[in-house]
Amino acid sequence: MTEATHKDTPLVEVIDLSKYFSIGRKSELHAVDKVSFAIDKGKTLGIVGESGCGKSTLGRTILRLLEPTSGQILFEGEDITKYSKTRMRQLRRTMQIIFQDPYASLNPRKTVADIISQPLIVNNIFDSKDKLAERVAELMEIVGLATRLSDAYPHELDGGRRQRIGVARALALRPKFIVCDEPVSALDVSIQAQILNLLMDLQDDMGLTYMFITHDLSVVKHISDEICVMYLGQIVEKSSSRDLFKNPLHPYTQMLLSAILAPNLSRRKTKKGIVHGEVTSPIDPTPGCRFAPRCDYRMEICTKADPEFREVEPNHYVACYKVEQDLGLDSYISGNQNETGI
Amino acid sequence: MSEYNFNNSDKDGYVLEIKDLEVIYETDLETVHAVNNVSFSVRAGETFGLVGETGAGKTTTALSILRLLPDRTGKVTKGEIFFNGENLLELSDEVMRKEINGERVSMIFQDPMTSLNPIMNVGEQIYEALKYHNPEKKTKEELEKRVEETLELVGIPKKRKNEYPHQFSGGMKQRVIIAIALACKPELLIADEPTTALDVTIQAQVLAMMSELNEKLGTATILITHDLGVVANMCDDAAVMYAGELVELGTVEDIFESEDHHPYTVGLFGSIPNLDEERERLQPIEGLMPDPTALPFGCHFQDRCPYCFDRCINEHPQLLKLSDTHSIRCHLFSDKALEVNHD
Ligand SMILES: Nc1ncnc2c1ncn2[C@@H]1O[C@H](COP(=O)(O)OP(=O)(O)OP(=O)(O)O)[C@@H](O)[C@H]1O
Ligand SMILES: Nc1ncnc2c1ncn2[C@@H]1O[C@H](COP(=O)(O)OP(=O)(O)O)[C@@H](O)[C@H]1O
Ligand code: SF4
Ligand code: SF4
Ligand SMILES: [Mg+2]
Ligand SMILES: [Mg+2]
């Protein structure tokens, strides 16, 4: 294919992607349930949602570090869902992940240089030791690690430097796409800012495409072009970053935004954003909106069938019956009604 | 404040008073000066926030209170820690283990992944904690019901109680640990970055549970966090820690509404992404904290401080008292100071 045909193809696209885990003998936990979206080249898609909603599972499934239960993953327009292990290993050079926990994801017995060179060695990128060392030094410089640290061990470094190692390792094979799974959540604000700036600079310099997972709304707003809001395995709202914060439509998104604690004393100790209602279990969920037990606008229809994830305003997608009603759209009921045999 | 169930706090109502605490980590090769001359106190029913970047010494301060510093390397070299008037540093290990830790003082550790038992399901782990702290002599059935309620309080469906830690996401494990710590109804709760891995709605829930302990039982809380939003909304008093020292100490009004701040505090506020602004570069404090094995002679913040002048390099700044409640460790305020808290 030529560049021209690629022009409008998103770099990454997922269609109805699901990942279920078996729990006990008969049950299935729907960690990711029929998720669809696309990410254009050079852009950042933010994924937000509460802990346990399936963000990490989604990121790992897209890279096929976990095998999808159903659905498709397209990379540069090609379906990679059925790629063999060997082909996947080839492809994974261009798709990398930076992990949630900079402490747990680095081998404590390896030095900084060892960790960064590992993907280069595994993939036989260089034939000489000198060239390898040169590239490692270059990577360390790119992420702002002093070369004198190349013989240090991860435990000797602070969290920010450890996360820089994670970033350098992810960049080693010159990837096009990086899943950033909460790369700054374990760091404190001053260091968070340094890493976020680094990631944004790298994107500009290298044309990287990011899927940026976080539960921190101010971080996601800062870094993303578009944002998906996830709730219990499903995407409930997607729009441009600016639109989402200006005009949140889904009741869950509205609840999330109202629970943000501002760093000032204006709304002190008002009990806001407190969860009420039972949290739906992702194990063998019944049809209907997963947010219904916690939703102030719940209607009868909400627990009958899954609301459709649809474009309700230009480039603003929502799955909610109330939003459909408010905007005068007809609800389309079908789909998941008989999913679990009810 | 309301009526307390714990009536043994000292005459000023302090549950915890730390005085001139100094802690080092000593190995054959080097000595890390992790905590230097730290003093603060927490009243019953109140929450004290401790803020600062990685390596500032927050966790070390917390571990010293529980006497959980690593055996061979960690040492308290100076200071006193009074818990309801009793110096914890003078108690025997046995008394600490049996009567204080997990009994009257609970700690939520920073690293949740290591504090759950991987081979016991989460329901059983909460059950064990409840059984151990069961003054009302609840029956097995009542306790099991309580396990389910506790899980739901932290937003985890009760039907997941038979799952094991590896089947939970990072944030869910953290919620189980919080549930266990709160089940013990402690007099002093030390929470080390308890909500960092949690999203805002669950965070709100957990913070509400902690406030309830403050109000109903008079639990005193030390909340270690780097989230200034959490400090603003939860704490009564707060301190900013840098390179082992408190550089600013005050009520939350002092920290959030006063004109006067330590330059490091100003930097901390500048590095938070602002929800009201469009995508732009953040203004992090450039540079890194000084090496704790070789702290500079003058101000510990001198290398990163935009206002650094001669005196900062030649003289270590004292904690200057600007009002009854507000203190700042910086030479810029020497004209404004009421008195000096000599270290
Ligand atoms: N190996 C596994 N076996 C069974 N269930 C799992 C497994 N891994 C994850 N899950 C479940 O899948 C769901 C999604 O987990 P995931 O780790 O993707 O959440 P997350 O959104 O990344 O949360 P956090 O913000 O806390 O990291 C959770 O209910 C979790 O318990
Ligand atoms: N077990 C240890 N051995 C040696 N040094 C340590 C140990 N734990 C912490 N330190 C050092 O003590 C200082 C304070 O660390 P810590 O209390 O963990 O800070 P914080 O909790 O504020 O991030 C840091 O310089 C850190 O590297
Ligand atoms: S579909 Fe119904 S229950 Fe779900 S969010 Fe919308 S109004 Fe609430
Ligand atoms: S004492 Fe000097 S170097 Fe230290 S914070 Fe104040 S002005 Fe900056
Ligand atoms: Mg995760
Ligand atoms: Mg710590």
Side-chain angles (χ1 to χ4, degrees):
Chain A
M1 273 181 278
T2 60
E3 275 298 310
T5 57
H6 267 225
K7 205 150 187 213
D8 296 316
T9 314
L11 184 76
V12 179
E13 187 171 3
V14 302
I15 303 164
D16 284 335
L17 188 68
S18 299
K19 173 67 192 175
Y20 300 166
F21 294 103
S22 304
I23 296 283
R25 231 168 300 145
K26 290 199 299 275
S27 293
E28 277 186 326
L29 187 149
H30 296 213
V32 173
D33 214 353
K34 300 200 191 60
V35 162
S36 305
F37 59 74
I39 316 177
D40 287 331
K41 197 166 181 307
K43 300 284 185 203
T44 300
L45 176 74
I47 307 277
V48 267
E50 65 190 7
S51 81
C53 74
K55 304 178 297 294
S56 299
T57 307
L58 175 62
R60 280 160 203 248
T61 310
I62 291 176
L63 300 186
R64 288 199 46 210
L65 297 170
L66 289 169
E67 281 310 312
T69 306
S70 61
Q72 281 173 293
I73 307 158
L74 310 185
F75 188 75
E76 297 187 309
E78 243 189 274
D79 189 340
I80 63 162
T81 327
K82 297 266 146 47
Y83 268 25
S84 69
K85 282 222 161 68
T86 343
R87 273 189 89 181
M88 216 35 235
R89 207 174 302 133
Q90 286 288 323
L91 187 66
R92 212 165 278 135
R93 294 182 184 184
T94 54
M95 309 166 86
Q96 291 289 321
I97 184 163
I98 300 169
F99 288 102
Q100 185 160 4
D101 184 353
Y103 303 90
S105 61
L106 303 174
N107 185 338
R109 282 182 294 273
K110 294 268 194 293
T111 65
V112 173
D114 289 343
I115 293 169
I116 299 174
S117 45
Q118 192 228 355
L120 297 166
I121 295 170
V122 171
N123 288 283
N124 284 318
I125 304 295
F126 295 108
D127 43 19
S128 86
K129 276 216 164 91
D130 290 349
K131 281 192 195 144
L132 177 67
E134 207 175 293
R135 175 70 177 146
V136 170
E138 184 189 18
L139 285 163
M140 287 181 68
E141 196 189 320
I142 292 173
V143 301
L145 280 171
T147 29
R148 71 182 158 82
L149 296 175
S150 45
D151 295 327
Y153 291 89
H155 70 91
E156 296 171 337
L157 305 177
D158 58 84
R161 288 206 183 93
R162 274 188 266 210
Q163 198 51 288
R164 284 174 198 270
I165 304 175
V167 176
R169 179 175 60 181
L171 292 176
L173 299 169
R174 305 183 197 277
K176 295 179 181 164
F177 175 57
I178 303 183
V179 171
C180 308
D181 189 357
E182 308 250 13
V184 298
S185 302
L187 309 174
D188 36 53
V189 273
S190 55
I191 300 186
Q192 267 185 15
Q194 294 173 358
I195 299 285
L196 289 176
N197 283 343
L198 170 68
L199 289 170
M200 284 163 67
D201 290 345
L202 292 173
Q203 179 166 50
D204 291 344
D205 295 350
M206 304 182 187
L208 294 170
T209 306
Y210 293 142
M211 177 168 137
F212 196 98
I213 298 172
T214 179
H215 64 268
D216 186 326
L217 292 159
S218 50
V219 166
V220 83
K221 177 175 188 219
H222 184 73
I223 199 156
S224 313
D225 298 292
E226 296 211 307
I227 297 177
C228 288
V229 180
M230 243 179 128
Y231 188 77
L232 280 182
Q234 298 178 327
I235 292 178
V236 296
E237 181 158 6
K238 172 174 178 269
S239 79
S240 72
S241 173
R242 186 193 298 209
D243 215 22
L244 191 84
F245 282 84
K246 256 212 295 242
N247 181 26
L249 293 174
H250 195 282
Y252 173 64
T253 313
Q254 293 173 349
M255 177 167 139
L256 264 185
L257 296 185
S258 72
I260 296 173
L261 299 177
N264 58 55
L265 304 184
S266 59
R267 292 158 75 196
R268 203 167 140 74
K269 291 196 176 169
T270 49
K271 299 235 155 88
K272 57 191 171 279
I274 304 292
V275 190
H276 52 84
E278 199 179 336
V279 179
T280 310
S281 165
I283 301 172
D284 302 332
T286 50
C289 172
R290 306 252 168 111
F291 187 59
R294 289 163 75 183
C295 181
D296 289 335
Y297 309 100
R298 181 180 58 238
M299 302 170 282
E300 222 186 302
I301 187 180
C302 300
T303 46
K304 293 237 154 66
D306 286 7
E308 188 195 353
F309 184 65
R310 62 189 286 185
E311 190 168 13
V312 296
E313 282 171 6
N315 196 30
H316 198 142
Y317 296 77
V318 181
C320 170
Y321 291 115
K322 176 195 169 259
V323 174
E324 288 180 340
Q325 276 193 3
D326 289 353
L327 298 174
L329 303 164
D330 289 331
S331 298
Y332 164 81
I333 306 176
S334 77
N336 277 347
Q337 242 167 334
N338 296 315
E339 269 276 309
T340 48
I342 297 166
Chain B
M1 278 185 277
S2 58
E3 294 156 49
Y4 302 128
N5 292 1
F6 311 126
N7 279 324
N8 38 5
S9 49
D10 78 1
K11 59 182 187 327
D12 301 316
Y14 289 127
V15 171
L16 183 79
E17 275 187 277
I18 297 185
K19 290 186 178 161
D20 301 329
L21 184 68
E22 208 172 87
V23 185
I24 58 170
Y25 292 104
E26 206 169 29
T27 63
D28 295 344
L29 299 172
E30 57 184 19
T31 304
V32 175
H33 296 272
V35 173
N36 307 306
N37 279 305
V38 163
S39 304
F40 65 86
S41 36
V42 195
R43 283 200 182 81
E46 294 196 345
T47 299
F48 184 89
L50 200 53
V51 220
E53 68 194 86
T54 320
K58 308 179 298 290
T59 302
T60 303
T61 306
L63 293 176
S64 320
I65 300 171
L66 288 173
R67 302 244 313 263
L68 292 176
L69 291 169
D71 260 355
R72 267 187 299 275
T73 52
K75 275 192 202 90
V76 173
T77 46
K78 202 179 130 209
E80 293 155 319
I81 301 175
F82 292 103
F83 174 60
N84 291 320
E86 203 169 9
N87 189 352
L88 291 181
L89 299 178
E90 285 166 359
L91 296 183
S92 71
D93 287 346
E94 201 191 337
V95 172
M96 272 313 281
R97 207 172 44 238
K98 288 208 177 129
E99 293 171 26
I100 306 285
N101 289 359
E103 187 64 31
R104 296 169 64 196
V105 183
S106 298
M107 175 149 178
I108 301 170
F109 288 93
Q110 182 166 11
D111 181 4
M113 317 308 167
T114 53
S115 32
L116 285 176
N117 182 341
I119 57 167
M120 207 178 184
N121 75 43
V122 295
E124 286 165 346
Q125 301 194 40
I126 297 173
Y127 181 86
E128 287 300 314
L130 291 169
K131 196 175 84 183
Y132 192 69
H133 299 272
N134 185 15
E136 298 104 332
K137 301 267 177 291
K138 291 201 177 101
T139 63
K140 189 161 187 283
E141 285 71 39
E142 284 170 327
L143 285 176
E144 278 177 358
K145 186 143 177 297
R146 187 78 198 123
V147 168
E148 297 186 347
E149 289 165 9
T150 306
L151 276 174
E152 298 213 313
L153 270 174
V154 290
I156 297 174
K158 57 176 180 254
K159 92 182 200 204
R160 305 196 63 175
K161 67 177 177 188
N162 296 325
E163 289 177 34
Y164 290 84
H166 77 269
Q167 295 173 309
F168 275 21
S169 77
M172 292 166 70
K173 281 186 261 202
Q174 179 70 331
R175 284 186 260 166
V176 171
I177 287 154
I178 291 170
I180 290 172
L182 300 186
C184 305
K185 302 193 172 139
E187 282 165 67
L188 174 67
L189 174 68
I190 305 173
D192 195 354
E193 308 267 9
T195 59
T196 306
L198 305 180
D199 55 282
V200 284
T201 57
I202 301 295
Q203 166 172 292
Q205 182 104 338
V206 165
L207 296 179
M209 287 164 73
M210 288 171 52
S211 298
E212 196 175 305
L213 280 187
N214 292 153
E215 280 157 26
K216 291 214 175 120
L217 296 173
T219 297
T221 305
I222 297 180
L223 185 57
I224 300 177
T225 178
H226 59 253
D227 185 335
L228 295 168
V230 170
V231 176
N233 285 275
M234 282 293 290
C235 298
D236 300 284
D237 295 330
V240 179
M241 200 163 181
Y242 187 79
E245 294 179 321
L246 301 190
V247 295
E248 185 163 349
L249 174 71
T251 63
V252 280
E253 287 79 14
D254 295 330
I255 303 289
F256 288 91
E257 289 178 348
S258 159
E259 304 262 287
D260 299 325
H261 290 297
H262 192 280
Y264 178 65
T265 313
V266 177
L268 267 188
F269 276 86
S271 48
I272 321 171
N274 188 335
L275 276 173
D276 306 325
E277 285 161 22
E278 295 298 321
R279 176 170 162 159
E280 45 153 48
R281 278 185 80 81
L282 298 170
Q283 306 277 320
I285 312 165
E286 291 302 327
L288 291 170
M289 228 162 39
D291 182 352
T293 60
L295 288 170
F297 177 72
C299 173
H300 291 176
F301 191 56
Q302 55 182 269
D303 289 346
R304 298 167 80 183
C305 180
Y307 308 102
C308 180
F309 57 109
D310 290 352
R311 187 171 169 200
C312 310
I313 295 158
N314 301 324
E315 183 188 335
H316 186 75
Q318 309 283 332
L319 200 54
L320 303 172
K321 227 170 148 70
L322 302 190
S323 77
D324 267 355
T325 53
H326 195 192
S327 308
I328 297 178
R329 188 186 294 279
C330 169
H331 291 315
L332 293 176
F333 296 92
S334 47
D335 296 339
K336 280 196 168 180
L338 301 177
E339 60 177 276
V340 178
N341 285 346
H342 281 285
D343 304 324

